Amino acid sequence: MTHLPTYGEVPGAPVGEMSRRSFMRRIFWVGAGILSIEFLAGTLNFLWPNVRSGLGGKFTIGTAADIASTQPTWTQGQPFGFSKARVFFINVPASEALVGGSNETVADPGANVLALYRKCPHLGCNIPPLCDKSHWFECLCHGSKYNIIGEKRAGPAPRGMDRFAVTVTDGVYGIDTSAIVAGPPIGTATFDPRDTTTIPHCAA
Amino acid sequence: MTIEKRPNATADKNAPTQAPRVPAVERDRGPKLPGPPGVPGTERFRLLAYVKQESMVRVDKRPDETVLTWPHLLRAEFLMALLISVLLVVASVFIHAPLEEMANAGVTPHVAKAPWYFLGLQELLSYFNATVGGVLLPTLYLVGLAVIPYIDRSPYKAARDRKTAWVFFMSLMLGGLLITLIGSFFRGPGWNWVWPWDGIYFTL
Amino acid sequence: MTFPGPGDLMRVVRESSVWRSLFRQPYPTTSRTRALAVMNNVFLHLHPVRVKKHAVRYTYTFCLGGVSFFLFLVLTVTGVYLMFFYVPSVTRAYQDILSIENSVAFGTFVRNMHRWGAHLMVLTVFLHMIRVFYHGAYKPPREFNWVIGVVLLFCTLWLSFTGYLLPWDQIAFWAITVGTQMATYAPLLSRESSFILLGGVEVGQGTLIRFYVMHVIAFPLIVAILLVVHFWRIRKDGGVSGPV
């Protein structure tokens, strides 16, 4: 079959050479591509949340004495619920003593504290206050369980409780909620490795 | 389609005043075609010989295969819209949309479920590790749906001619339905199994 | 002397230049004028003049695509009504829903209709997809229209999900918390995607306004554009796919 010229066919450059037309076309598409990428990046940048207040900012809790005056049981190891930052503020040495069964009190743990984020890393439910039966944090939503320093013990959660960085300046505790520190991976058992079946629970 | 020449004052003077009577059978045969040069007797073969039997049948049937959009399709659409409207109005008058107390980030209800179409996904999350159940499977599901036409290249359309594809697709759909139903009606506080007659934890 | 009756009035109206500029042909009563009506009307010309017989049968398509589109229209209209009374603020949203329920005329009715229509639409879109698969209607040349359909399915789910948060009650708050937490399981950029989606670390004012904008304008626009392409391709590929 012979090749018949199509109506409106544009004569092209010789084979192996780039015509001015195709060069211009290529330049156009490259430009359009670059512009699209810029547009996308600009949009993402535009939509990036500008968190000034509430969770995402910095909070000041106060000194250990301030906390103890608000909640005296904090020195005996009970977590201090700091609702503004949605954290459990843990007095680590006192808490370990509490789980261990001794009545030792720690008035000022220094930097040995933890700010555990109350949002369950499983599906985001609010973790209720410490379960008195097991001395674990037990999420009622889907039954994830964590020991008092936020390591995962049971349930469907993918890791331990997330936490925020704590700063101590002149004995005053501050919490920076702008960055969430992911909880320790499953299997981390630096403390309280009790078996879930041997102790009573609050959550099923 | 043929365009018949109509008798016309400006037509060729030599043309007969009346169109020659051609029997319908002769007209339908199409024009006589010239045969290969130098082969006597072949110039009389008819276009009919090239036309397959089925397509002739279809050509004959064509007028019966379609109906006018106005009124047939428009009537069907109107009746369906009417039916849906009545259904919606009746439902909206008698069944009220759920509304609970105001949102409170500090209090997680005993049962925290996603909207019903995500309950299958939530159920999957309780079986698999989070990345697989929460991301990999749903992404695979959507992408898998999208690429179906590029994978299934068989020319058959009827479900009876492609049983494998149909069974595969329907088992995916019914599997999705099953886990959605389980997540909706068989899961209660703590995502534990609850029979529907022991309590339904489901809001639309 | 006879007095002009309503028929005469109608005749005068019909013969007026205003009427004839609105309707360029008399009410179609013949096949020819009916064909012209479908061809010349911008809304009707979504359809071809003639359709295949099987396409009109309820038991072939069950009108599932059409019903989904109709529900989209119902949701648009009821949604606009609701927007008159709703402010997407964490302090006002819940109170606004209560006032829609208690003091707006037909407020409960419109909210119910919006809610049930939305759930029904998710259902009909799924069923439409199953129907299309059953008839193999995604076969060439309709492959890409199926892909558009899958994107539309995703958009439908997303519209429903974003709307779910707006009443700002406990069901809404925790359903969205649980739903968006699933996004953080992504292996890459999980925290970032959840942060930009929620407009913050967790569900709050930033989330409400984001979901509101996506729900009332961004995604309805995207869906409308995709629907145009979806319908156009069906039309160009010869309407509802052939009987099997």
Side-chain angles (χ1 to χ4, degrees):
Chain A
M1 193 173 156
T2 55
H3 175 71
L4 296 173
T6 323
Y7 173 73
E9 195 180 23
V10 178
V15 176
E17 285 178 34
M18 189 190 285
S19 69
R20 188 180 58 188
R21 194 185 297 271
S22 66
F23 174 73
M24 297 296 275
R25 192 160 51 210
R26 213 166 284 187
I27 289 293
F28 169 79
W29 285 114
V30 167
I34 291 173
L35 208 66
S36 307
I37 292 169
E38 282 176 356
F39 183 75
L40 192 72
T43 304
L44 281 179
N45 204 354
F46 177 81
L47 290 177
W48 196 254
N50 189 4
V51 179
R52 276 183 237 95
S53 60
L55 204 65
K58 288 187 172 65
F59 295 91
T60 310
I61 301 185
T63 61
D66 292 339
I67 300 172
S69 67
T70 318
Q71 185 190 309
T73 53
W74 190 66
T75 56
Q76 295 153 23
Q78 281 293 338
F80 172 58
F82 186 62
S83 57
K84 269 195 260 177
R86 286 194 67 195
V87 294
F88 290 121
F89 199 60
I90 310 286
N91 180 341
V92 176
S95 295
E96 292 185 351
L98 174 74
V99 176
S102 69
N103 293 325
E104 189 192 342
T105 59
V106 181
D108 190 351
N112 202 357
V113 289
L114 277 175
L116 298 179
Y117 188 21
R118 284 189 69 170
K119 187 174 173 179
C120 180
H122 175 231
L123 285 177
C125 288
N126 213 37
I127 296 174
L130 194 74
C131 171
D132 284 331
K133 291 188 207 161
S134 59
H135 290 312
W136 279 1
F137 290 111
E138 303 188 351
C139 183
L140 298 175
C141 261
H142 308 104
S144 296
K145 297 179 183 67
Y146 313 88
N147 69 10
I148 204 161
I149 54 172
E151 292 165 348
K152 199 204 109 165
R153 281 291 167 270
R159 58 180 183 273
M161 287 169 76
D162 295 336
R163 51 221 48 208
F164 296 120
V166 181
T167 54
V168 198
T169 40
D170 303 332
V172 177
Y173 293 116
I175 298 178
D176 180 6
T177 58
S178 61
I180 301 174
V181 182
I186 297 173
T188 310
T190 57
F191 174 68
D192 186 16
R194 286 176 295 170
D195 183 27
T196 180
T197 53
T198 59
I199 47 176
H201 292 293
C202 295
Chain B
M1 192 164 154
T2 55
I3 300 164
E4 285 177 79
K5 228 181 190 178
R6 290 176 195 286
N8 180 326
T10 56
D12 189 359
K13 287 272 157 58
N14 297 332
T17 49
Q18 217 180 344
R21 278 183 180 274
V22 183
V25 178
E26 285 294 320
R27 268 210 315 270
D28 287 345
R29 278 176 182 166
K32 281 179 190 168
L33 297 177
V39 187
T42 52
E43 74 279 2
R44 283 182 60 94
F45 77 79
R46 302 183 306 242
L47 194 60
L48 191 63
Y50 283 133
V51 180
K52 282 183 182 163
Q53 182 60 27
E54 311 93 272
S55 44
M56 281 302 281
V57 172
R58 205 171 63 225
V59 166
D60 282 343
K61 261 185 164 177
R62 189 167 286 163
D64 297 324
E65 270 191 348
T66 64
V67 288
L68 269 175
T69 294
W70 182 318
H72 295 94
L73 181 57
L74 294 184
R75 183 180 52 208
E77 287 176 342
F78 173 74
L79 288 177
M80 205 60 190
L82 204 65
L83 177 74
I84 297 295
S85 305
V86 169
L87 207 75
L88 265 187
V89 166
V90 170
S92 307
V93 166
F94 292 107
I95 315 170
H96 288 294
L99 188 69
E100 283 182 4
E101 62 271 30
M102 192 172 161
N104 183 349
V107 179
T108 299
H110 281 299
V111 184
K113 287 189 177 184
W116 64 270
Y117 36 80
F118 285 152
L119 287 182
L121 184 55
Q122 210 178 327
E123 178 71 17
L124 272 184
L125 269 178
S126 66
Y127 302 148
F128 296 103
N129 119 2
T131 315
V132 175
V135 181
L136 230 58
L137 283 177
T139 311
L140 212 68
Y141 189 81
L142 266 185
V143 174
L145 277 182
V147 300
I148 281 178
Y150 304 99
I151 293 173
D152 175 17
R153 302 302 291 184
S154 85
Y156 301 110
K157 285 187 174 177
R160 61 176 176 274
D161 294 331
R162 44 195 194 102
K163 288 208 176 76
T164 321
W166 179 243
V167 166
F168 180 69
F169 181 76
M170 270 328 269
S171 50
L172 269 187
M173 288 290 127
L174 292 177
L177 181 71
L178 184 72
I179 55 168
T180 304
L181 285 178
I182 291 176
S184 303
F185 299 110
F186 294 85
R187 293 293 183 181
W191 209 252
N192 290 310
W193 189 273
V194 175
W195 292 102
W197 48 86
D198 293 333
I200 286 181
Y201 299 91
F202 179 69
T203 36
L204 266 175
Chain C
M1 187 186 163
T2 52
F3 290 101
D8 296 298
L9 185 67
M10 242 2 254
R11 192 169 46 76
V12 170
V13 170
R14 285 230 163 97
E15 285 172 3
S16 69
S17 56
V18 175
W19 180 278
R20 279 184 295 147
S21 71
L22 267 171
F23 304 100
R24 297 178 175 185
Q25 58 178 65
Y27 188 82
T29 47
T30 62
S31 294
R32 190 186 131 76
T33 49
R34 283 169 169 179
L36 278 174
V38 173
M39 234 187 295
N40 293 339
N41 185 294
V42 66
F43 301 108
L44 295 183
H45 104 287
L46 170 70
H47 296 304
V49 168
R50 299 187 72 89
V51 288
K52 294 176 214 147
K53 239 179 192 170
H54 71 271
V56 182
R57 262 190 6 239
Y58 284 118
T59 48
Y60 187 74
T61 61
F62 296 99
C63 280
L64 287 166
V67 168
S68 307
F69 178 54
F70 179 68
L71 286 170
F72 178 70
L73 296 181
V74 169
L75 290 168
T76 309
V77 173
T78 51
V80 169
Y81 274 80
L82 291 173
M83 277 174 77
F84 279 104
F85 295 98
Y86 178 84
V87 178
S89 136
V90 290
T91 50
R92 276 203 61 179
Y94 183 71
Q95 305 305 325
D96 285 346
I97 299 292
L98 285 182
S99 90
I100 285 172
E101 296 251 294
N102 298 322
S103 52
V104 176
F106 298 112
T108 312
F109 176 73
V110 174
R111 180 169 118 82
N112 290 349
M113 204 155 173
H114 197 74
R115 185 110 175 177
W116 303 138
H119 284 317
L120 190 60
M121 185 175 164
V122 173
L123 200 67
T124 55
V125 168
F126 260 110
L127 292 176
H128 174 58
M129 181 176 75
I130 294 173
R131 196 287 293 175
V132 167
F133 188 92
Y134 180 78
H135 284 140
Y138 55 83
K139 301 273 175 169
R142 297 165 192 260
E143 305 106 305
F144 192 67
N145 219 11
W146 168 273
V147 179
I148 295 175
V150 173
V151 177
L152 278 169
L153 166 74
F154 173 78
C155 287
T156 309
L157 290 178
W158 189 247
L159 274 170
S160 179
F161 186 64
T162 48
Y164 212 81
L165 178 68
L166 302 188
W168 202 249
D169 63 341
Q170 279 289 69
I171 313 171
F173 186 91
W174 291 103
I176 297 323
T177 302
V178 167
T180 51
Q181 183 77 13
M182 292 179 192
T184 64
Y185 287 133
L188 280 171
L189 295 176
S190 58
R191 199 141 279 159
E192 286 78 2
S193 60
S194 137
F195 188 57
I196 200 165
L197 193 67
L198 294 183
V201 180
E202 50 186 26
V203 179
Q205 178 61 60
T207 320
L208 186 57
I209 188 68
R210 264 156 211 253
F211 275 41
Y212 178 74
V213 171
M214 285 192 274
H215 184 75
V216 301
I217 187 73
F219 273 79
L221 270 182
I222 293 171
V223 166
I225 292 168
L226 288 175
L227 281 179
V228 169
V229 182
H230 200 60
F231 295 161
W232 175 254
R233 277 180 173 258
I234 294 171
R235 181 90 155 69
K236 288 288 133 179
D237 292 340
V240 170
S241 67
V244 290

